[in-house]
Amino acid sequence: MSSGEGGRPLAEIIELPDAQARSEANLRGPARVPRPTARRRRPTACQPASTRVLSGWGRTAPSVATVVRPADGRQVLELLARASEPSDGTPGSGSHPSQLAPAGRIIARGLGRSYGDAAQRAGGLVVDTSALDSLGPIDPDRGLVEVGSGVGLDALIRHALPKGWFVPVTPGTRHVTVGGAVAADVHGKNHHLEGSFCSHVAEIALATPTGMHVVGPDGAPEEAALFWATAGGMGLTGVVVSATVRLVPVETSWMLVDTERFDDLDTLMATMEASDDRYRYSVAWVDCSARRGPLGRSVLTRGDHAPRAALGTGRRGRRAVALASPSGLRVPLPAPSRLVNSHIVRAFNEAWFRRAPRHQTAALQPLDAFFYPLDGLGDWNLLYGRAGFVQYQFAVGPDGGELVRRAIQSTTEAGAPSSLAVLKRFGPSDPGPLSFPIAGWTLALDFPVGPPGLPGVLDRLDEMVAEAGGRVYLAKDARLRPELLGAMYPRAAELLAARLSVDPTLSLGSDLSRRLGLDDLGRPGDDDPGPGGGLAGA
Amino acid sequence: MLDAFGHPQSALVLGGTSDIATALLGALVADRCRTVVLAGRDDGRLRAAAARLADAGATSVETVTFDATRPEDADRVVARCLAAAGGQVDLAVMAVGRLDQPRRDGLDPADVAAVATVNFAWPAAALASLAGHLCEQGQGRIVVLSSVAGVRVRPANFPYGAAKRGIDAFALALADEVAGSGVSVHVVRPGFVHSKMTAGRRAAPFAVTPAEVAEAVRRGIERDERIIWVPGFLRWVFVGMRLLPPALWRRLPA
């Protein structure tokens, strides 16, 4: 990259609406309250930049950033080069607070399904990857496919399934991008046997302020290090432009599912420990809202892709790889704040439990009903109303069963029962320094924001998780204290080292990285009192 | 950054030695606020408050002195405070204010001018400056300590009440102005608060302590409430107060 190019204003790299160009200019002038313009508009190809309020899927902690939608990897590189320049400002304005702001001005954003603040940057630049949407041909022998980072798993599945391929790992929604799946190193119901997403990625193209890096797990040591730092690195090493994913062969779009109902948590966990390894996919739903009976009545569903022979020759057999079209059902508006209240949650959980068969084996189920039960209702996060919700997911070792129990118990006792709880067993950790899984258990809990006891009880839970050698999932986090990050992710310094190797000024950063102090860990001069030191009592 | 519950990691308090500010900061530092800037008039008291917060777990506490009778300086003071916070701040609290002198006969024009400046002109100028900076940083919360004295201004302290009414209205309009910018403004309307400012005055009914105000503010921010009444039911008391005919209003005990 030539250094002269880096000096170009944003408006020259990507066409900006006039208002945006003005507010760019304002950044160097005195601070003024801007008149907000066209905040809700999605950027289009011809008018790619706008200021938008962004938040995660939980709809908490919104912040405003300039959103740009680069058309290709070259434009991503130019944006990064520009963001990594030192903020020189005009002479004499060095005291302006915006110039003392910490580094980290740019971050990528896919479909915005991280629950917290991972894909937003207050006052910074957010790279909307939706135009990086190339879908390459599928290698018929090994299932390798190169896709743009902005491609959603939904599009990838629709591309691959008719040809007999499926994504190797999928989270509970197909509305995540491939870039996001790499950045969060997402896991699925098959983690206990097959690991997380990046274990099935052969190569990525990573745009950084120092240029494009094409890296994979099998490359030279420093390339592999950059690859693994990016796996679960929450977008902080650079912007993933494309990834080569190793798909898995399937014969049909149906699943063969075993379902079991349990009246208490202990039996559920014992069953999972004893026989999960016989199933490729496994997940349990736990009812946290029941008032009577033992803790943790639950439904365990486990299965694998159905072979063609299982379908017979009827209608199912003819539509072996059909995928249901989206239902089109959406939640239109944020619900009134009390809609997801304890009564509704209890009724929903009751129905879910009773709907499940006590014991059923080898039932045929459509693939999307098995993997994506919540995708049937678009924008379901709006059910939690204006205040939004937080998801709390932690992983803990195989002895962490007691912590799982206490997490459910303590939140219920604090008057904040989880509206939805999902329990699963993890296989061995993946190689990424910030990759989430730990061999053992993982529990995910959903809480509407509102109960006064909730923030405190989650803080205490964090401490118990850290003490037990566990960790919380950063792709879902919106509230962890930075003090506990080091204990939960002891290899966080490796991420920082990898970042510095390709982004020496740490121009990449998100609200999450700033909140958790990921940009400061182990940096020289950490104990520096800061630029305000000399002003004390002036 | 603000977390999912609106809890700040950094806070700036203008009027940093007020009892309400002290109670609020104590609670915030006990939670996860690690960077604090205290701005006020009295350097000695600021430093003492800063030392207490550092003991309580804040890792960076800075102090800035200013004179609230000089509204023309407000912009510079705010810039200095933000610089002391490292460039950005999650929560800014406007706690600048003073009561008018108890009067025996007639109003003192000089005192009226000073009360109007300290309770309205300086805070309004500083809020304008703060809002600009916070909008630029793309996220932040502004809390303005108003008072029920401004909801319907009482004869007993009307220079103070009128100025509070002014800053209350200014803050609410500012909340509309910044809507959608990632910044929100919260107006706090406490009733009588037992504090340094009201020491020696007769307590009004439903009086609260600074700690109660602090807790209400924390909850109000968590719930994203635009107007935070302390205690909450004063909202309904003042629905009635506003409807009282003037002849009755004048006769209410001071």
Side-chain angles (χ1 to χ4, degrees):
Chain A
M1 302 276 328
S2 78
S3 59
E5 209 171 79
R8 292 161 60 198
L10 183 60
E12 283 174 32
I13 298 173
I14 287 185
E15 192 186 336
L16 290 165
D18 283 355
Q20 191 49 49
R22 277 202 305 277
S23 93
E24 280 277 308
N26 280 348
L27 284 177
R28 300 194 198 287
R32 291 287 177 269
V33 181
R35 305 291 322 198
T37 51
R39 295 184 303 270
R40 303 285 301 172
R41 192 162 37 81
R42 187 172 174 77
T44 59
C46 55
Q47 253 191 350
S50 65
T51 332
R52 279 172 58 201
V53 182
L54 300 173
S55 65
W57 187 241
R59 296 171 50 84
T60 57
S63 70
V64 167
T66 301
V67 179
V68 284
R69 187 170 177 262
D72 53 29
R74 188 189 54 82
Q75 288 192 348
V76 177
L77 283 175
E78 289 188 35
L79 286 166
L80 286 165
R82 180 183 175 280
S84 66
E85 285 165 42
S87 57
D88 46 357
T90 45
S93 69
S95 65
H96 193 259
S98 69
Q99 284 161 20
L100 298 169
R105 281 172 282 179
I106 185 166
I107 194 74
R109 181 181 179 94
L111 284 162
R113 289 296 172 120
S114 284
Y115 284 72
D117 47 7
Q120 61 196 54
R121 179 68 193 115
L125 206 55
V126 169
V127 179
D128 173 349
T129 59
S130 59
L132 308 174
D133 59 355
S134 62
L135 264 170
I138 300 169
D139 165 4
D141 299 325
R142 291 176 297 166
L144 288 172
V145 61
E146 185 182 345
V147 292
S149 65
V151 171
L153 289 194
D154 185 46
L156 180 54
I157 291 167
R158 286 175 194 285
H159 176 64
L161 201 54
K163 303 178 182 74
W165 300 97
F166 189 63
V167 289
V169 166
T170 175
T173 172
R174 53 182 191 260
H175 300 299
V176 300
T177 61
V178 168
V182 169
D185 196 15
V186 298
H187 55 267
K189 300 178 183 184
N190 54 345
H191 189 276
H192 58 293
L193 295 181
E194 299 178 321
S196 55
F197 192 82
C198 291
S199 301
H200 306 269
V201 172
E203 196 172 81
I204 55 172
L206 182 72
T208 73
T210 51
M212 191 73 79
H213 298 264
V214 177
V215 292
D218 306 321
E222 62 273 25
E223 285 177 13
L226 183 58
F227 174 85
W228 286 119
T230 306
M234 302 311 290
L236 298 171
T237 53
V239 177
V240 178
V241 171
S242 67
T244 304
V245 182
R246 212 175 291 117
L247 300 172
V248 295
V250 294
E251 292 182 20
T252 71
S253 63
W254 293 82
M255 307 298 293
L256 276 177
V257 184
D258 288 4
T259 306
E260 278 175 273
R261 244 166 56 172
F262 298 90
D263 289 323
D264 67 283
L265 200 60
D266 291 338
T267 326
L268 168 72
M269 293 176 83
T271 308
M272 290 172 84
E273 274 174 337
S275 53
D276 253 12
D277 290 351
R278 298 209 297 268
Y279 294 90
R280 184 169 186 181
Y281 300 103
S282 163
V283 74
W285 159 90
V286 183
D287 182 2
C288 304
S289 62
R291 273 180 167 159
R292 285 186 298 271
L295 178 79
R297 65 176 183 176
S298 41
V299 180
L300 175 62
T301 49
R302 302 187 285 190
D304 198 349
H305 297 279
R308 184 172 271 274
L311 300 189
T313 51
R315 264 184 72 227
R316 277 178 184 156
R318 286 196 297 278
R319 304 195 38 177
V321 289
L323 197 61
S325 351
S327 69
L329 276 180
R330 308 196 79 75
V331 180
L333 289 167
S337 54
R338 296 281 167 255
L339 187 66
V340 180
N341 60 28
S342 54
H343 302 290
I344 301 233
V345 165
R346 201 170 295 127
F348 171 84
N349 278 319
E350 188 73 38
W352 191 280
F353 183 74
R354 290 186 184 275
R355 200 196 63 160
R358 180 153 283 284
H359 191 88
Q360 187 181 50
T361 48
L364 276 171
Q365 196 178 10
L367 181 148
D368 40 350
F370 180 77
F371 286 111
Y372 314 116
L374 289 173
D375 280 353
L377 185 62
D379 293 335
W380 60 263
N381 58 340
L382 297 182
L383 287 178
Y384 285 100
R386 209 169 61 96
F389 72 108
V390 291
Q391 184 162 95
Y392 189 82
Q393 182 171 0
F394 67 91
V396 68
D399 312 329
E402 185 51 33
L403 190 59
V404 168
R405 167 182 296 279
R406 283 179 71 185
I408 295 174
Q409 242 163 9
S410 61
T411 50
T412 306
E413 281 163 14
S418 167
S419 40
L420 200 69
V422 173
L423 179 67
K424 138 139 222 85
R425 278 181 67 245
F426 269 156
S429 297
D430 302 274
L434 252 72
S435 187
F436 165 64
I438 292 174
W441 296 98
T442 183
L443 178 71
L445 303 165
D446 276 13
F447 302 100
V449 169
L454 181 62
V457 78
L458 293 183
D459 282 345
R460 285 193 291 282
L461 212 45
D462 286 338
E463 284 160 19
M464 287 192 267
V465 168
E467 203 168 309
R471 54 177 65 141
V472 300
Y473 191 12
L474 297 186
K476 300 198 168 168
D477 177 58
R479 37 139 315 275
L480 179 67
R481 293 169 195 245
E483 289 95 10
L484 290 173
L485 187 92
M488 292 185 176
Y489 288 93
R491 294 171 60 202
E494 285 176 51
L495 173 70
L496 191 71
R499 288 171 71 189
L500 288 169
S501 73
V502 291
D503 177 18
T505 60
L506 287 189
S507 54
L508 283 137
S510 59
D511 285 358
L512 176 123
S513 75
R514 197 166 153 230
R515 176 170 55 82
L516 292 178
L518 281 171
D519 306 334
D520 322 310
L521 280 175
R523 273 176 96 183
D526 224 1
D527 48 358
D528 189 313
L535 286 161
Chain B
M1 301 308 301
L2 292 162
D3 75 0
F5 302 112
H7 296 178
Q9 293 182 304
S10 56
L12 154 65
V13 183
L14 297 157
T17 58
S18 88
D19 288 339
I20 293 176
T22 304
L24 179 60
L25 282 171
L28 294 178
V29 167
D31 180 38
R32 63 195 67 208
C33 186
R34 294 291 170 266
T35 301
V36 178
V37 176
L38 296 174
R41 185 181 43 190
D42 184 331
D43 191 40
R45 283 189 11 215
L46 286 171
R47 284 170 188 276
R52 281 194 300 274
L53 290 170
D55 286 344
T59 51
S60 159
V61 191
E62 301 287 341
T63 60
V64 172
T65 53
F66 69 91
D67 178 0
T69 62
R70 296 173 56 88
E72 64 274 20
D73 290 346
D75 192 28
R76 270 198 303 278
V77 172
V78 167
R80 250 167 63 205
C81 290
L82 286 169
Q88 302 203 355
V89 73
D90 299 336
L91 173 71
V93 181
M94 175 57 71
V96 174
R98 54 159 279 212
L99 289 174
D100 47 352
Q101 301 291 337
R103 60 199 142 84
R104 259 151 277 147
D105 36 31
L107 289 165
D108 173 3
D111 187 49
V112 169
V115 165
T117 305
V118 171
N119 289 299
F120 180 75
W122 197 92
L127 285 175
S129 173
L130 267 176
H133 286 295
L134 263 56
C135 284
E136 201 173 273
Q137 75 187 32
Q139 190 184 48
R141 304 258 181 149
I142 299 175
V143 168
V144 180
L145 293 185
S146 175
S147 166
V148 295
V151 177
R152 184 165 184 184
V153 179
R154 294 191 308 153
N157 60 356
F158 77 87
Y160 172 79
K164 278 295 186 190
R165 189 183 181 95
I167 199 65
D168 191 295
F170 184 91
L172 288 178
L174 189 64
D176 290 328
E177 178 83 4
V178 300
S181 64
V183 178
S184 60
V185 180
H186 308 268
V187 174
V188 187
R189 292 182 183 162
F192 187 95
V193 183
H194 294 287
S195 66
K196 287 198 297 282
M197 191 175 83
T198 59
R201 293 177 194 241
R202 198 155 57 87
F206 318 122
V208 288
T209 63
E212 286 169 314
V213 178
E215 184 50 31
V217 170
R218 259 169 54 81
R219 278 295 289 158
I221 296 175
E222 222 171 274
R223 291 167 14 174
D224 205 8
E225 284 175 8
R226 200 176 149 87
I227 302 177
I228 302 166
W229 297 80
V230 200
F233 61 82
L234 280 185
R235 176 194 305 265
W236 310 113
V237 171
F238 272 84
V239 168
M241 291 290 197
R242 269 187 281 218
L243 295 174
L244 278 188
L248 269 178
W249 176 250
R250 279 198 298 273
R251 284 174 176 75
L252 283 188

